[in-house]
Amino acid sequence: MAGLSIAGLGVAAGGWILALAASSSAPAAPQIFTKSQVKAGQQVFLAHCAVCHGYQLQGKIGPALKGPAFADVWLTGKQNADSLFYVISTQMPFNAPGSLKTSQYLEALSYILSQNGLVPGKTAMTVALLKKTTLPKAP
Ligand code: HEC
């Protein structure tokens, strides 16, 4: 998309209109976790996930959990949040699947989503909320 609008700018004024229309029509992303979940999730992530996914979520033994590689799979606007939670809570940590508490998995997911540009709000993440949430397209 960035490439498209930059090309448009170089070629004609029409590119401006295209770029503006694209950015203003993005729907507001749902707020599905709180600030304190993000804070707790950072600790969970550092203790249980970072060794494989990298301290900056950049990927190591495990895949990157932020940036385009992650967004291309999960932040397409079509993935159910519950599917991502399912992967994390049943398959991670890869060397000890299901070993954390549900609250810790929710916190880790909150942290990962915050690192991908989603913003915290007043609503705390719960398993029930995830079941009815579609993950937004990457912001
Ligand atoms: C021992 C190493 C290891 C640890 C610890 C670990 N992971 Fe993973 N993780 C992996 C590997 C390897 C994969 C790829 C698995 C596959 O493709 O089957 C993966 C895949 C994932 C995926 C799917 C990524 C995608 O793009 O589909 C997510 C999400 C994830 N891990 C989150 C976590 C979280 C959250 C934690 C901490 C609670 C964690 N992982 C801990 C190794 C690890």
Side-chain angles (χ1 to χ4, degrees):
M1 195 62 210
L4 182 68
S5 47
I6 289 165
L9 292 179
V11 174
W16 277 107
I17 294 161
L18 184 67
L20 289 173
S23 63
S24 63
S25 64
Q31 298 183 340
I32 53 168
F33 52 84
T34 62
K35 234 186 214 170
S36 61
Q37 284 182 311
V38 172
K39 221 171 147 195
Q42 181 174 24
Q43 298 311 314
V44 174
F45 187 86
L46 293 177
H48 301 284
C49 319
V51 63
C52 292
H53 290 281
Y55 287 81
Q56 316 292 318
L57 294 82
Q58 78 277 17
K60 228 173 150 187
I61 303 163
L65 298 179
K66 88 174 188 191
F70 181 78
D72 285 353
V73 179
W74 295 108
L75 301 180
T76 59
K78 290 181 185 145
Q79 285 275 18
N80 197 285
D82 195 40
S83 311
L84 179 53
F85 183 72
Y86 181 81
V87 169
I88 294 175
S89 61
T90 64
Q91 298 172 21
M92 296 295 135
F94 201 60
N95 52 345
S99 61
L100 305 184
K101 288 189 247 165
T102 300
S103 59
Q104 291 178 302
Y105 284 120
L106 292 168
E107 288 158 358
L109 178 54
S110 300
Y111 177 65
I112 292 168
L113 292 177
S114 77
Q115 289 289 303
N116 282 279
L118 275 72
V119 293
K122 293 197 174 91
T123 310
M125 183 187 285
T126 59
V127 175
L129 176 64
L130 292 176
K131 282 195 173 46
K132 52 183 186 184
T133 302
T134 303
L135 290 170
K137 217 166 147 49

